[in-house]
Amino acid sequence: MSRRRRAAIVGVAESEVGRTPHLTVLSQQAAATRAALSEAGLGPGDVDALFVAGNWSWAPALTLAEYLGLSPDYLDSTNIGGSSFEAHLGHATAAIEAGLIDVALITYGSTQRSNRSRASARPPATLTEQFDRPFGLPQPVGAYALAANRYFHQYGATGEQLAEVAVSARQWAAHNPHAYHRDPITVDDVLGSPMISDPLHVLDCCLVTDGGGALVVAAEDRWPDVRTRPVVVLGHGETTTHHSIARMPDLTVTGAARSGPAAMKMAGVTHADFDLLEIYDSFTITVLLTLESLGFCEPGGAGELVALGRTGPGGDLPMNTNGGGLSYTHPGMYGIFLLIEATRQLRHDFAAGSVRQVDDARLALVHGTGGVLSSTSTVVLGRG
Amino acid sequence: MEDLVPDAETQPFWDGVAAGELRLQRCGECDRAVFYPRALCPHCFGDRLDWFTSPGKGTVYAYTVARRAFSPSAGTPPYTVALIDLDEGVRMLSRIVGDSPVRIGDRVELEITRLGGEDSPALPCFRVRESV
Ligand SMILES: [Zn+2]
């Protein structure tokens, strides 16, 4: 059997991130799309597939296609929360490999921070949420707090270990001019910040920002047409374990235990092969649970993995090199920003020898998490 | 915003709470308990689900102390929200009432309470009966 036609990310861009009251979820996606296509040297006429997630429209793919003036032959608005975009990349890759499409556009936009200051109404509880919402768990932080508390109980983990994740992210953010917070923080700063839902403090929680992003994914036969160095999609996996945190089978094991091995097996790589990790950091606990579920260490061992600056700049396991959802940006569904950063690292876009650029980065693991540890989607990307 | 939205499928559960009972379902095919109520057993896909009344005893699997208000019907923080493993083998998100400190592994018992005052809905909460 002949080798399947490969897929690669050939263009990436984010829109303005932070607080952007002058933008909309659509204008953000338009700006990011234009920049991502332009970087690739492609135009709207090249796009034959559209992937988009969001809860801003009953049919976001239709709304966005009309707004952008696109008429794609392949549509996917799978919404599995923040991990949607890793899933979209997996789906786009499968469609490219199957010969169904040639050039896919994956986008995201959010005005959640600006919305907050305009009007803030929670959507009504529906269906299964009637068994959770009346009890007043602050969402999503309370769900992650339950997991953190259970994790502490099982493994004797500590708030200091969680704090190391936030400190490491902030160290990377200092080298990202677009990061929302760039001032250095210490473990004591994290532990001294106000408690939101025990044991998670303010600095254990991701930012609440506006922002958008876009990826252009192209089939192998289109790579000679593009201006960038392709970043090849080598493997992907996705799963869900629950919707409500009350139905999570084991609060210390996420779906990464399935999506991670699936992606690595497809790519034919193992843990030691990765030069960098981009791991969804909705909360500090998300990162520890994910590293363990992915198999980068034994259960209960992630605290050691993130300690002593190992995941920070200059560490042996560079992770969340843009500052992550904790310090760079987090417009609600963060997954697309993990892919944008991994792509830039693998293209060696940052100055050689700079702190931000991971030396000779060739293989990256990108892992999205959605809902309240509810969905996971993992991709393996390689320098083309 | 309303947090409690009973529907045709879940009304018997909420009627039970209003009557001071915790009503769960049991699957007629695999004999396992099911919570929340539904039309299909999530363990075996059986569709013969019968109601029964739980004694409401369980163990704390995880908890958190919420420091920020979230739900209008849930009262004023701080308060303890917990995941309770009922003895029947199902897990519920709920609230721990009373002043005793909560630990994972504590034994708890059902106490139906109106968290947001007299006008708020009755909810199946739990009180610590035995600390670890
Ligand atoms: Zn059954």
Side-chain angles (χ1 to χ4, degrees):
Chain A
M1 191 178 137
S2 62
R3 190 173 58 82
R4 291 176 305 179
R5 190 172 72 144
R6 292 180 296 168
I9 300 171
V10 297
V12 296
E14 64 272 83
S15 62
E16 220 181 305
V17 298
R19 191 170 172 276
T20 65
H22 54 291
L23 296 177
T24 67
V25 290
L26 295 171
S27 64
Q28 275 167 341
Q29 291 175 92
T33 294
R34 193 168 189 279
L37 280 170
S38 156
E39 178 185 78
L42 297 173
D46 294 305
V47 174
D48 60 1
L50 179 62
F51 296 73
V52 57
N55 51 15
W56 39 266
S57 166
W58 69 269
L62 305 187
T63 310
L64 188 69
E66 178 190 280
Y67 180 89
L68 294 175
L70 298 176
S71 184
D73 301 318
Y74 197 97
L75 296 158
D76 183 338
S77 24
T78 297
N79 184 354
I80 54 170
S83 67
S84 296
F85 312 95
E86 285 70 30
H88 291 171
L89 181 58
H91 301 177
T93 298
I96 284 172
E97 288 173 346
L100 301 174
I101 61 173
D102 289 326
V103 177
L105 172 65
I106 302 174
T107 79
Y108 177 64
S110 160
T111 53
Q112 67 160 15
R113 184 170 190 91
S114 298
N115 291 353
R116 232 195 205 183
S117 44
R118 284 176 198 140
S120 169
R122 276 188 314 139
T126 54
L127 305 175
T128 63
E129 287 175 13
Q130 66 189 282
F131 299 100
D132 305 328
R133 286 269 284 263
F135 298 100
L137 186 69
Q139 288 283 32
V141 56
Y144 285 84
L146 288 166
N149 165 279
R150 182 71 201 179
Y151 180 71
F152 284 13
H153 173 80
Q154 277 184 219
Y155 299 110
T158 63
E160 280 83 356
Q161 291 175 328
L162 292 184
E164 293 275 9
V165 176
V167 170
S168 167
R170 190 62 67 87
Q171 286 168 348
W172 284 110
H175 302 280
N176 179 359
H178 302 293
Y180 199 76
H181 287 308
R182 303 183 62 200
D183 296 336
I185 52 169
T186 64
V187 166
D188 285 343
D189 290 333
V190 179
L191 297 176
S193 66
M195 192 75 92
I196 302 292
S197 197
D198 302 26
L200 300 181
H201 302 80
V202 168
L203 290 177
D204 286 300
C205 305
C206 64
L207 305 163
V208 177
T209 66
D210 301 328
L215 304 179
V216 180
V217 188
E220 193 163 10
D221 26 331
R222 298 301 301 274
W223 297 354
D225 307 338
V226 304
R227 289 204 196 110
T228 53
R229 185 180 186 111
V231 167
V232 186
V233 185
L234 299 170
H236 52 93
E238 70 195 46
T239 192
T240 177
T241 45
H242 59 281
H243 175 220
S244 161
I245 195 69
R247 257 59 70 184
M248 185 169 182
D250 178 340
L251 258 62
T252 66
V253 180
T254 81
R258 292 177 58 195
S259 64
M264 283 189 256
K265 185 180 174 199
M266 192 185 293
V269 300
T270 187
H271 298 87
D273 297 331
F274 291 105
D275 299 303
L276 68 135
L277 310 178
E278 301 296 340
I279 306 280
Y280 204 98
D281 58 343
S282 45
F283 297 91
T284 51
I285 184 65
T286 318
V287 174
L288 296 192
L289 297 181
T290 300
L291 287 170
E292 293 176 14
S293 295
L294 285 172
F296 280 94
C297 57
E298 293 298 304
E304 209 173 311
L305 207 66
V306 299
L308 310 170
R310 288 187 60 193
T311 56
D316 62 329
L317 196 67
M319 180 179 77
N320 298 346
T321 50
N322 55 4
L326 291 166
S327 283
Y328 158 52
T329 199
H330 198 300
M333 296 163 95
Y334 175 68
I336 202 162
F337 300 95
L338 297 165
L339 294 164
I340 292 169
E341 175 66 11
T343 298
R344 289 177 176 159
Q345 287 284 356
L346 293 172
R347 293 193 312 210
H348 302 176
D349 276 6
F350 306 106
S354 69
V355 175
R356 175 84 173 272
Q357 180 61 55
V358 172
D359 282 346
D360 198 29
R362 297 189 161 273
L363 194 74
L365 181 136
V366 179
H367 181 85
T369 302
V372 285
L373 297 166
S374 315
S375 70
T376 66
S377 185
T378 315
V379 296
V380 176
L381 300 178
R383 180 173 167 84
Chain B
M1 202 61 69
E2 206 55 61
D3 288 318
L4 194 56
V5 284
D7 51 44
E9 194 165 29
T10 66
Q11 192 65 54
F13 175 86
W14 293 112
D15 287 347
V17 173
E21 287 185 0
L22 183 64
R23 293 178 190 159
L24 307 179
Q25 290 172 303
R26 191 178 297 284
C27 173
E29 305 288 332
C30 72
D31 204 39
R32 293 180 69 176
V34 173
F35 176 80
Y36 46 83
R38 56 194 96 172
L40 199 63
C41 170
H43 310 296
C44 77
F45 259 38
D47 63 356
R48 292 194 297 120
L49 289 152
D50 299 314
W51 291 95
F52 72 99
T53 298
S54 163
K57 294 183 194 306
T59 306
V60 175
Y61 173 73
Y63 69 90
T64 183
V65 180
R67 308 279 171 179
R68 302 279 170 97
F70 185 73
S71 162
S73 59
T76 314
Y79 49 72
T80 301
V81 180
L83 293 175
I84 310 296
D85 283 339
L86 289 172
D87 293 351
E88 291 85 357
V90 296
R91 185 173 295 163
M92 283 183 73
L93 186 78
S94 186
R95 241 329 236 286
I96 306 291
V97 296
D99 297 328
S100 337
V102 180
R103 284 208 212 106
I104 289 175
D106 282 355
R107 292 287 294 164
V108 294
E109 208 171 278
L110 180 72
E111 181 168 318
I112 291 170
T113 308
R114 294 177 194 276
L115 294 171
E118 279 312 300
D119 296 336
S120 71
L123 295 172
C125 299
F126 290 83
R127 182 179 290 273
V128 175
R129 286 296 173 208
E130 224 178 290
S131 288
V132 284

